[in-house]
Amino acid sequence: MQVDTPQQETIITEIPSQSLQLSSSNSDTSVHVNYIKIIRSINADNIIDIFPSVVKHIELTSDKVERLELIQETRKVLQCQENMDVLVEKDLLPAIINSAIELFDCEQSQSVQFELMSIICLFPQSHLTEKTLSRLHGAAQSSSPLIRRQSLVLVMKTVPIETSIKFLLAFLDDDDARVRSTSVQNLAVIVSEKQSTLPMSFYHKIVESLSDTHDEVRLRSVEIVANMAFQHKAQLVKIPGCTSRQLTVIQHAFMQLCMLMCDTSTAVRIKTAAILGRFTEVDPEFLVQTLDKKMKPYMKLVPEGVKVKQEFSAGRVWGGDAPIKTTAGEINIINPASCGAFVHGMEDEFSAVRQNTVQSICELSMSCEEFSEVAVPHLIDMLNDEIQSVRLLTISSLQRITQNIELYEDQLETVLSVLEESNVEIRQSLHKLLSSAKLNTQVSVRRVLKGLLDNLKKYPQDCSSVYKCVRGVGDNNAVYAALLAPELLSKHPYLYQTEPNTDDNCYIATMILVFNAAKHNPIIMSMFHEYTPRHYIYIAGLLPDLVPHLPQVYKQQQATVTSYNTQFMLDSLNTLLHRFVTLSKSQDFNVLQKITDDIMKIGRLSNSIRSQSSFLIKVLNIFLKLFKLRFYIIKSEAPCADRIKDKVSEIIANLCELGCVFRGGQTEVTAVLLRFYAIQFLKLYVPDASVTEKELELCRSHVVERLKSCRTAVPHSILNGKRFNIFQWFESQPNVISNDITMSTATILSPASNTEHVHEFPSHLSLSLHLEAETTHLTPGDLAVKIVYPGSRTAFYQPHVDCTLQDYYESTVFVGEQSWSNPGTLRISLVLPCNLTRDSDAVFNRLYGKDKAWVDVSDIVLLKIHPKTPR
């Protein structure tokens, strides 16, 4: 609540007399209310004039409730850093601190003392004298838990770390849980944030805090014990009742924390499950014990001189005639309560505990192969968890672990059942797991392939992911795939098989597995049908990244696939580029267009140079559009301004596409120089564009900065402010088109184009379209959906992305329109936004007329919809 300055002055002049009256009569509440208003109105401008009177009034107030309220409001004022800075600058803090200490000594109310200590804790340490500190430290012996807690906070702030550690440890046995909690919290800050080391002599005292009755104490103690274990990992700890063996601190701390996996507090279990994964230096025998609730025999010690008694069972129970060993006085190396810690974590009712448990098991398995072999069956059981995030984490953890171990047949049943999931993230994550796993029998390979083919039939949109999976299965299990080769190739001893359809996705997946296995086991190629080499050449051209190079097949066919002559085709693209540059002076559009068509044909020969050919086509098309625009302006007596504007907008959109879609090689340098050349071209030959000299110079300076950041030499004509000829720059570059150029693309998997089926819906409602797409070299979250309605109305949507997979886009778009008399066709595609709000893009922003350009990165999907008037 703010009070006007004149009113404040009036009230302040009346303070002394009213304060004296209040101290004697203690009945006038209006003065107290006025002081509350004044305190709330204090700021950095008036604190010097008002604050001394406020402090004096607090000293004179006899009512405990009013005094407490005044101190609380004063604390809020001092919490403002600006107000504190003014008091420090005017040297008023010593007097205020002395007044607070005097009030503290005379105060009988513990709640008021607590508030006073809270205020003192706000002051800078440099203004607290030794006398003041000793008086406040003595308050730690107060009978009030609140004051003891505040004293610990003050000690943490004012005392050196070595001294404060001893002081805080003394309060771990305090009767009040809040005091113990504050002590442990401050110790945790010392250990974690200030990177200080607690002496080993305090280790057992901290371990005792793990069994404290207060949840917060146990929670903070977990972190302290773990840090102490890492700091003193080599030191030894005695085992109670045993003198022949000792445990290292890291082993002892690990087992102590394992007992907390059955803690009553969920927060403690979550924290413990997460921190156990950091104990990668614990011996395998202790790690394996966490996966068995029954104590292992090697975790027990037999005292010297004690005889082991052995007897046989009566045979009443099946298998009961095994010898039974009993030993009197066995010593447990660890506490039985710590056995099966990770089992308890995986069975916990809270998903956060299960997630942290799986993560810790994964981290420990990465550092201990013996533990990973025991942990894999438990993790596979977690694939049946009811929470999707737990299943996803389990799959990713198994993928990291199974690189060094094998999956057995009985485990595959659980793993393959996950392929029935409707969630695409889980299915594709499992594909990655199966592609990296090693199988131990040919039956396992057959079952995996069958499960993947069933998955492909049920979810055709998983085609690309399944192809990558079977490639990994063939690479990692070539021996067993060779045993299955006759079955996979449909070989029969005396019946001739019909030639399969190469458009069948299941057949292509099977052959990808066979071809990748044949790379490691050439004997498979001797089983090929006469048509298999032809199919191999077709599939290799269709999916060059998934099919290995098999020279024997090429020799058999006496053919060479162009996809493996990548360097030759790159040289051809550079040759055509230089030919275009040479012929550009002639301005023969037919010849230049013919060169562009030749480049397009070369790009169709192989997917391996698709990015390079597309980039070159975009560059040459921009040149053609600029040349045709100049030709139109020169030849036309009265050029149409709207047509020129449309052509300029189209050129700008192509330039944005060049900068957003292509990466690698000299694409960035080419895009930057081409943008500058286009602006320079528009200034010289397109008067309607009205490009000013200031805009050109701004773009020139931006080009210089970008080229320097790319560590590329800046052309002299740009540095000297002269006209830049980009064709001379192309002639000086031998290989503008290189092998490392990438293109951002998206392939829409669902919905598929279908103009025969009509989606009908009421016009007052909307139609939901679920989109799924595979992406390459882009972040799915950056994509937007472009929908072109009948009548050329275009809408852009950037909905929430449902899927978190790296190269997968999944989202839902709602389409709505007014009622139509007949069905209409929607044109759906995925686009990338290109912002034109930077200073260097000011001229493009003006010419394009929008702050953002949308760049198509996918093919167009056609759907028919028919919004109808509701009955």
Side-chain angles (χ1 to χ4, degrees):
M1 179 178 180
Q2 299 292 332
V3 183
D4 296 336
T5 305
Q7 187 177 357
Q8 288 178 9
E9 294 177 355
T10 305
I11 295 175
I12 292 172
T13 55
E14 300 173 358
I15 284 175
S17 59
Q18 290 179 350
S19 299
L20 294 174
Q21 294 174 5
L22 184 63
S23 62
S24 58
S25 63
N26 204 16
S27 60
D28 190 1
T29 59
S30 61
V31 176
H32 174 71
V33 173
N34 287 336
Y35 264 105
I36 294 296
K37 293 179 180 178
I38 293 174
I39 294 174
R40 291 176 178 174
S41 68
I42 291 178
N43 52 45
D45 298 329
N46 58 19
I47 189 171
I48 299 300
D49 301 327
I50 302 177
F51 204 75
S53 300
V54 171
V55 174
K56 186 174 182 181
H57 179 71
I58 293 174
E59 294 176 351
L60 297 176
T61 303
S62 59
D63 185 85
K64 180 182 70 174
V65 177
E66 294 182 356
R67 192 163 62 251
L68 179 62
E69 187 176 358
L70 288 170
I71 293 174
Q72 289 174 343
E73 295 295 333
T74 304
R75 177 167 54 84
K76 296 178 183 179
V77 172
L78 295 176
Q79 285 176 342
C80 178
Q81 189 60 39
E82 294 182 359
N83 296 338
M84 184 67 72
D85 293 340
V86 173
L87 294 176
V88 172
E89 182 182 354
K90 299 300 182 180
D91 198 22
L92 293 178
L93 280 187
I96 297 174
I97 293 174
N98 290 334
S99 299
I101 293 296
E102 292 176 2
L103 285 173
F104 182 82
D105 291 336
C106 301
E107 185 59 50
Q108 301 297 323
S109 172
Q110 293 180 346
S111 58
V112 177
Q113 284 184 328
F114 173 75
E115 290 295 334
L116 288 171
M117 290 196 69
S118 300
I119 290 177
I120 296 173
C121 289
L122 298 174
F123 297 136
Q125 182 180 351
S126 57
H127 290 77
L128 300 177
T129 62
E130 293 184 3
K131 182 179 179 181
T132 301
L133 292 176
S134 62
R135 174 66 189 90
L136 295 173
H137 294 167
Q141 307 302 324
S142 173
S143 59
S144 171
L146 294 177
I147 296 178
R148 294 202 300 274
R149 287 182 63 192
Q150 202 63 35
S151 177
L152 294 179
V153 175
L154 191 63
V155 165
M156 180 69 181
K157 179 180 178 181
T158 58
V159 175
I161 292 179
E162 293 77 8
T163 307
S164 62
I165 289 175
K166 297 179 181 179
F167 193 88
L168 294 171
L169 286 170
F171 283 87
L172 289 179
D173 298 326
D174 195 274
D175 296 334
D176 193 276
R178 293 169 294 180
V179 178
R180 298 197 303 272
S181 175
T182 304
S183 176
V184 174
Q185 287 178 10
N186 291 330
L187 285 172
V189 170
I190 292 174
V191 172
S192 59
E193 297 182 9
K194 298 187 177 182
Q195 303 296 322
S196 299
T197 303
L198 293 181
M200 185 59 194
S201 56
F202 302 134
Y203 172 73
H204 290 286
K205 193 171 185 63
I206 300 296
V207 170
E208 291 176 2
S209 300
L210 295 175
S211 57
D212 195 275
T213 56
H214 194 261
D215 296 349
E216 188 67 25
V217 176
R218 299 196 304 275
L219 181 64
R220 295 294 181 177
S221 298
V222 169
E223 186 176 351
I224 300 175
V225 170
N227 283 318
M228 290 189 70
F230 300 137
Q231 293 167 354
H232 306 283
K233 61 180 71 174
Q235 297 196 29
L236 300 176
V237 178
K238 294 182 180 180
I239 300 175
C242 179
T243 58
S244 60
R245 182 174 176 180
Q246 293 180 324
L247 297 178
T248 60
V249 173
I250 195 167
Q251 293 172 347
H252 185 268
F254 179 76
M255 303 314 295
Q256 290 294 323
L257 294 178
C258 284
M259 290 191 292
L260 293 181
M261 290 301 292
C262 299
D263 196 89
T264 56
S265 171
T266 306
V268 174
R269 298 199 303 274
I270 292 174
K271 181 71 173 178
T272 304
I275 213 166
L276 286 177
R278 294 165 53 188
F279 287 80
T280 56
E281 300 182 18
V282 176
D283 294 343
E285 58 184 11
F286 292 94
L287 296 178
V288 172
Q289 183 63 71
T290 60
L291 295 173
D292 193 344
K293 294 181 180 180
K294 184 179 180 181
M295 186 174 293
K296 300 286 186 180
Y298 53 74
M299 285 296 175
K300 299 179 180 180
L301 292 177
V302 180
E304 296 181 1
V306 177
K307 295 183 179 181
V308 179
K309 296 181 180 180
Q310 181 171 326
E311 58 184 8
F312 288 87
S313 172
R316 297 176 181 175
V317 182
W318 175 259
D321 58 346
I324 302 173
K325 295 182 179 181
T326 58
T327 305
E330 283 183 331
I331 300 174
N332 294 327
I333 298 177
I334 60 175
N335 193 317
S338 62
C339 297
F342 285 142
V343 177
H344 291 297
M346 289 185 286
E347 295 174 350
D348 198 276
E349 60 179 325
F350 289 92
S351 61
V353 180
R354 301 198 298 274
Q355 279 184 313
N356 287 347
T357 302
V358 170
Q359 186 68 38
S360 294
I361 292 176
C362 176
E363 296 297 331
L364 295 174
S365 298
M366 294 293 291
S367 61
C368 180
E369 185 174 352
E370 182 180 345
F371 177 71
S372 65
E373 294 177 358
V374 183
V376 166
H378 293 274
L379 290 177
I380 289 178
D381 290 339
M382 291 300 292
L383 293 176
N384 297 320
D385 196 274
E386 59 183 2
I387 303 300
Q388 176 180 317
S389 58
V390 178
R391 298 197 300 273
L392 274 173
L393 181 61
T394 303
I395 293 173
S396 62
S397 300
L398 281 170
Q399 183 182 352
R400 298 171 62 187
I401 295 173
T402 52
Q403 295 177 356
N404 301 322
I405 63 174
E406 296 178 344
L407 288 180
Y408 296 95
E409 291 183 33
D410 57 332
Q411 298 170 349
L412 281 177
E413 182 177 356
T414 304
V415 174
L416 294 177
S417 65
V418 184
L419 289 174
E420 301 294 328
E421 286 270 2
S422 60
N423 185 275
V424 65
E425 289 185 74
I426 293 180
R427 294 198 309 272
Q428 294 202 7
S429 298
L430 192 67
H431 294 160
K432 294 179 181 179
L433 167 61
L434 292 174
S435 67
S436 62
K438 295 179 181 178
L439 308 175
N440 65 336
T441 62
Q442 66 186 73
V443 177
S444 299
V445 176
R446 181 191 294 115
R447 293 179 62 183
V448 168
L449 180 60
K450 184 180 183 302
L452 291 172
L453 295 182
D454 291 341
N455 174 204
L456 190 56
K457 294 175 183 177
K458 187 174 182 180
Y459 301 103
Q461 62 268 30
D462 291 351
C463 180
S464 177
S465 180
V466 171
Y467 287 169
K468 294 176 183 178
C469 181
V470 293
R471 178 190 60 180
V473 174
D475 273 335
N476 297 328
N477 307 278
V479 175
Y480 301 120
L483 298 176
L484 290 174
E487 177 183 342
L488 299 179
L489 294 170
S490 300
K491 297 285 287 186
H492 196 275
Y494 51 86
L495 292 180
Y496 183 79
Q497 302 292 330
T498 58
E499 183 174 348
N501 184 5
T502 53
D503 292 333
D504 184 4
N505 290 336
C506 293
Y507 174 71
I508 293 177
T510 304
M511 297 313 295
I512 289 175
L513 187 150
V514 172
F515 293 148
N516 281 276
K519 175 184 175 182
H520 304 283
N521 200 339
I523 196 174
I524 297 177
M525 287 183 277
S526 63
M527 306 179 195
F528 284 176
H529 295 281
E530 60 180 11
Y531 55 77
T532 304
R534 287 189 283 106
H535 290 184
Y536 167 76
I537 293 175
Y538 170 75
I539 297 174
L542 183 67
L543 304 167
D545 296 333
L546 302 179
V547 179
H549 180 45
L550 301 177
Q552 297 90 331
V553 179
Y554 287 118
K555 291 178 182 179
Q556 182 180 352
Q557 286 293 301
Q558 297 179 355
T560 303
V561 179
T562 54
S563 60
Y564 296 104
N565 293 328
T566 304
Q567 189 58 47
F568 172 76
M569 287 187 287
L570 290 177
D571 295 339
S572 301
L573 293 178
N574 282 297
T575 302
L576 290 173
L577 172 60
H578 289 291
R579 185 178 300 173
F580 184 95
V581 170
T582 304
L583 297 175
S584 62
K585 301 176 183 178
S586 65
Q587 299 292 307
D588 190 340
F589 298 136
N590 293 329
V591 175
L592 298 178
Q593 185 63 49
K594 181 65 176 175
I595 295 175
T596 305
D597 294 340
D598 291 342
I599 295 173
M600 190 177 300
K601 293 176 182 178
I602 292 176
R604 292 172 181 170
L605 294 177
S606 174
N607 289 333
S608 60
I609 60 164
R610 179 188 174 191
S611 302
Q612 291 82 353
S613 60
S614 298
F615 173 74
L616 186 53
I617 290 171
K618 297 294 182 184
V619 171
L620 300 188
N621 280 335
I622 291 174
F623 284 129
L624 284 175
K625 290 177 181 179
L626 288 172
F627 295 158
K628 290 179 180 179
L629 179 60
R630 179 176 62 183
F631 181 80
Y632 170 75
I633 294 175
I634 294 175
K635 295 299 181 180
S636 300
E637 297 181 358
C640 178
D642 292 338
R643 183 176 178 181
I644 293 175
K645 182 179 179 181
D646 293 340
K647 293 291 183 182
V648 171
S649 298
E650 187 178 350
I651 292 171
I652 293 174
N654 290 341
L655 289 169
C656 292
E657 181 179 2
L658 205 64
C660 292
V661 173
F662 298 95
R663 295 286 185 273
Q666 296 193 41
T667 55
E668 184 177 358
V669 175
T670 305
V672 170
L673 292 176
L674 189 54
R675 287 163 71 98
F676 178 74
Y677 175 80
I679 294 176
Q680 178 184 262
F681 188 95
L682 294 176
K683 183 179 185 300
L684 292 174
Y685 301 109
V686 186
D688 290 348
S690 304
V691 177
T692 63
E693 188 67 30
K694 182 179 179 181
E695 291 174 333
L696 183 63
E697 292 303 317
L698 179 63
C699 186
R700 188 189 302 272
S701 62
H702 171 68
V703 170
V704 174
E705 292 178 3
R706 290 286 297 274
L707 293 183
K708 288 182 178 179
S709 65
C710 296
R711 298 181 179 180
T712 303
V714 183
H716 294 291
S717 57
I718 296 180
L719 287 175
N720 300 332
K722 297 179 180 180
R723 181 179 175 182
F724 171 61
N725 189 344
I726 195 172
F727 298 106
Q728 292 181 355
W729 181 83
F730 277 125
E731 291 176 350
S732 65
Q733 303 296 319
N735 295 312
V736 176
I737 307 302
S738 58
N739 194 29
D740 56 347
I741 294 177
T742 61
M743 180 173 63
S744 300
T745 58
T747 304
I748 298 178
L749 303 176
S750 175
S753 290
N754 189 349
T755 56
E756 297 181 359
H757 175 69
V758 179
H759 299 270
E760 298 181 351
F761 61 97
S763 59
H764 66 286
L765 300 176
S766 58
L767 173 68
S768 65
L769 296 177
H770 184 72
L771 270 73
E772 295 183 27
E774 287 183 346
T775 61
T776 306
H777 302 298
L778 56 82
T779 304
D782 297 337
L783 287 173
V785 182
K786 175 184 176 182
I787 298 181
V788 180
Y789 291 89
S792 300
R793 184 176 75 86
T794 304
F796 298 91
Y797 305 94
Q798 201 160 9
H800 173 71
V801 179
D802 300 329
C803 186
T804 58
L805 290 175
Q806 185 177 1
D807 297 323
Y808 203 85
Y809 177 85
E810 184 179 13
S811 186
T812 303
V813 177
F814 295 92
V815 178
E817 266 293 326
Q818 298 179 354
S819 60
W820 298 343
S821 58
N822 295 312
T825 303
L826 289 182
R827 301 167 63 87
I828 304 173
S829 61
L830 294 176
V831 293
L832 273 177
C834 180
N835 292 319
L836 299 175
T837 55
R838 295 175 298 183
D839 295 338
S840 58
D841 297 326
V843 59
F844 282 165
N845 191 347
R846 179 177 61 80
L847 295 175
Y848 193 67
K850 299 177 182 177
D851 293 337
K852 186 181 294 185
W854 299 94
V855 178
D856 287 302
V857 294
S858 73
D859 294 332
I860 297 175
V861 173
L862 302 179
L863 294 178
K864 274 201 172 182
I865 64 170
H866 189 188
K868 291 186 175 182
T869 304
R871 296 179 181 179

